[in-house]
Amino acid sequence: MNRRFIFQKITIGMLSGFALNCFSVIGPGEVGLMFRPYGSGLSQKPYESSVQFYLPWNTMYKFSTQWQSYKEKVEVLTRDDLTIAVTADIIIRPKQNELFDLQMELGTDYYGKVVKPQFRTAIRNILSAYNMVSISKETPNVSAQIKKSLIEKLKDKHVEIDDVIIDDVEYSPSILKAIEGKLTKQQEQEQMKFEINIAKKDAEIQAITAEGRAKAILLEAEAQAKAQKLISESLTPKYIQLKAMENPNNKLIFMPNGKDGLPILINPESK
């Protein structure tokens, strides 16, 4: 009696366990493939949102058809032989019309088996072509190149890629110090170039001003020389005699002419 009771209890427990493990809930954004080892094998038509009951020896493989993001942190040796840590995200999902081939070739862990190693390798390969200081400025271009490389590498792996994003770039303290020193030196050089350009402009302005002054003085001297020449050429004895006689300060005029051909003038008001 006791043996029969124990047997019934074990049988009920086993049946309960089978019952609990012989159904799957396929939620929104999920699909499933049923595998029947003693029947039709792996189903090619996916099961959509529902509750599926099946025999204990069958298996339901579930796939998410929603976009999923995976994050990887990779150490990269840059073009200038410096090591940085890059964190990047990839957004992917399986192709719903190729789930049968995906399960047959890779299974539900397709990311860990194929996508992850290709993703990490693409990050290293693309970033190794860049100098460290230029990576932060080139992240959109780097992301696009990584995505393009992965699309090519994974074109027959039954997944589609929505985007690749460079999330973070970490530098060691020694590298950050070196970058700061380099940027400071560059700023000093730029400041020196600016000051040199200002000095050159000032020198050019001064040279132009001095040249202008010299030209003005030369023109003034030439004008004076021409004036003096014209005056000297116009000062004939008769002209001088005329101006002497026209002078209102002259009171008396005595003739004959003086030694220079001029009349002798006497101004009684002068001492």
Side-chain angles (χ1 to χ4, degrees), residues 82-98:
L82 296 172
T83 302
I84 58 175
V86 178
T87 303
D89 298 273
I90 183 172
I91 302 173
I92 62 171
R93 68 180 178 184
K95 295 180 179 179
Q96 188 168 349
N97 60 342
E98 298 181 18

Side-chain angles (χ1 to χ4, degrees), residues 65 100 236:
T65 57
F100 176 83
T236 62

Side-chain angles (χ1 to χ4, degrees), residues 240-271:
I240 295 174
Q241 289 176 7
L242 176 62
K243 288 298 181 183
M245 288 186 291
E246 288 177 350
N247 189 343
N249 294 324
N250 295 333
K251 300 301 182 179
L252 298 175
I253 302 175
F254 292 91
M255 302 297 290
N257 292 338
K259 180 175 70 173
D260 297 329
L262 296 174
I264 298 171
L265 304 178
I266 296 175
N267 187 352
E269 294 180 1
S270 66
K271 296 180 181 180

Side-chain angles (χ1 to χ4, degrees), residues 38-228:
Y38 303 111
S40 57
L42 185 66
S43 61
Q44 296 194 21
K45 184 178 179 180
Y47 291 81
E48 296 182 351
S49 300
S50 61
V51 177
Q52 295 293 328
F53 294 91
Y54 46 87
L55 296 174
W57 48 83
N58 295 336
T59 305
M60 177 67 76
Y61 298 107
K62 291 194 295 184
F63 294 88
S64 174
T65 57
Q66 298 175 340
W67 292 108
Q68 297 184 39
S69 176
Y70 297 89
K71 188 183 297 291
E72 297 294 335
K73 186 174 182 179
V74 184
E75 286 193 352
V76 176
L77 185 65
T78 62
R79 185 178 180 181
D80 43 0
D81 295 327
L82 296 172
T83 302
I84 58 175
V86 178
T87 303
D89 298 273
I90 183 172
I91 302 173
I92 62 171
R93 68 180 178 184
K95 295 180 179 179
Q96 188 168 349
N97 60 342
E98 298 181 18
L99 289 177
F100 176 83
D101 296 320
L102 178 63
Q103 179 59 34
M104 293 294 291
E105 297 175 18
L106 300 175
T108 55
D109 188 25
Y110 57 90
Y111 177 79
K113 290 179 179 178
V114 172
V115 180
K116 179 178 179 178
Q118 291 288 359
F119 184 30
R120 295 175 66 87
T121 300
I123 293 172
R124 290 193 183 96
N125 290 344
I126 299 300
L127 286 173
S128 65
Y130 287 85
N131 290 327
M132 181 196 65
V133 293
S134 65
I135 290 176
S136 59
K137 299 178 182 179
E138 295 289 339
T139 49
N141 189 35
V142 170
S143 299
Q145 289 185 56
I146 294 173
K147 179 182 177 181
K148 181 178 179 181
S149 175
L150 288 174
I151 290 174
E152 177 63 26
K153 295 290 185 181
L154 301 174
K155 62 182 179 181
D156 297 324
K157 302 305 179 185
H158 318 295
V159 296
E160 54 184 331
I161 300 171
D162 177 61
D163 203 2
V164 172
I165 303 167
I166 301 297
D167 188 49
D168 188 31
V169 179
E170 295 180 13
Y171 307 97
S172 67
S174 59
I175 291 177
L176 288 175
K177 187 175 180 180
I179 293 174
E180 184 178 357
K182 184 175 181 179
L183 292 176
T184 301
K185 188 174 181 180
Q186 288 177 345
Q187 291 174 353
E188 291 174 352
Q189 291 175 346
E190 291 297 326
Q191 180 64 25
M192 187 177 296
K193 289 179 182 179
F194 176 76
E195 292 175 357
I196 290 173
N197 288 333
I198 292 297
K200 286 182 178 179
K201 293 295 183 184
D202 290 341
E204 290 175 359
I205 292 172
Q206 291 177 4
I208 293 171
T209 303
E211 184 179 358
R213 282 199 298 265
K215 287 182 178 179
I217 294 171
L218 180 60
L219 291 172
E220 184 178 357
E222 290 176 351
Q224 290 178 354
K226 289 180 180 179
Q228 290 175 358

